[in-house]
Structures are given as C-alpha cells and as structure tokens.
Amino acid sequence: MRAAGLVDVTAAGCFPVGGVAYNRLETATVRMVRAELLAAGLTNDAEIDAHLAPSMPASSTSPSHR
C-alpha cells in the first residue's frame, strides 16, 4: 500500500476465541475443507467426526458429504 502512495492506512479485526460464534466458525471451516483434509491424508472421517462432535447434536455427527 505504501508503494501506491498510501501512508496512513490502518485496519482492525477480531476473531472469536470461544463460545457459540467460535464453534460455528470452526464447524463451518472444517466442513468446508473436509474433502481436502481427507485427500491429503491428514486425517480420517472418524477423527473429523470426533473433532466436530462436541459442537454438534448427536444426530448430525455422521458425514453428509458421502
């Protein structure tokens, strides 16, 4: 930005570190990248389901991507 002549530039941001907002964001993120995590061999369905289980009702822990 400075190279473009902008010198007085600021930014602010926040990220939830706990609570309902964080749980929703974490769940959405894992669901979005699930296929890539599996394809890369970084995890398996059981591990992902176990990670997501605390933030989801028991009836929705099964993978819906199949």
Side-chain angles (χ1 to χ4, degrees):
M1 296 178 134
R2 289 189 176 119
L6 301 173
V7 292
D8 190 20
V9 178
T10 62
C14 79
F15 188 86
V17 293
V20 175
Y22 174 82
N23 290 342
R24 288 179 181 165
L25 179 61
E26 174 73 9
T27 298
T29 300
V30 171
R31 286 180 175 168
M32 285 175 37
V33 300
R34 183 180 193 129
E36 289 87 354
L37 292 170
L38 294 170
L42 298 172
T43 190
N44 59 48
D45 279 320
E47 290 175 335
I48 292 173
D49 291 343
H51 177 75
L52 294 176
S55 63
M56 298 186 326
S59 63
S60 61
T61 57
S62 300
S64 60
H65 68 282
R66 294 182 189 164

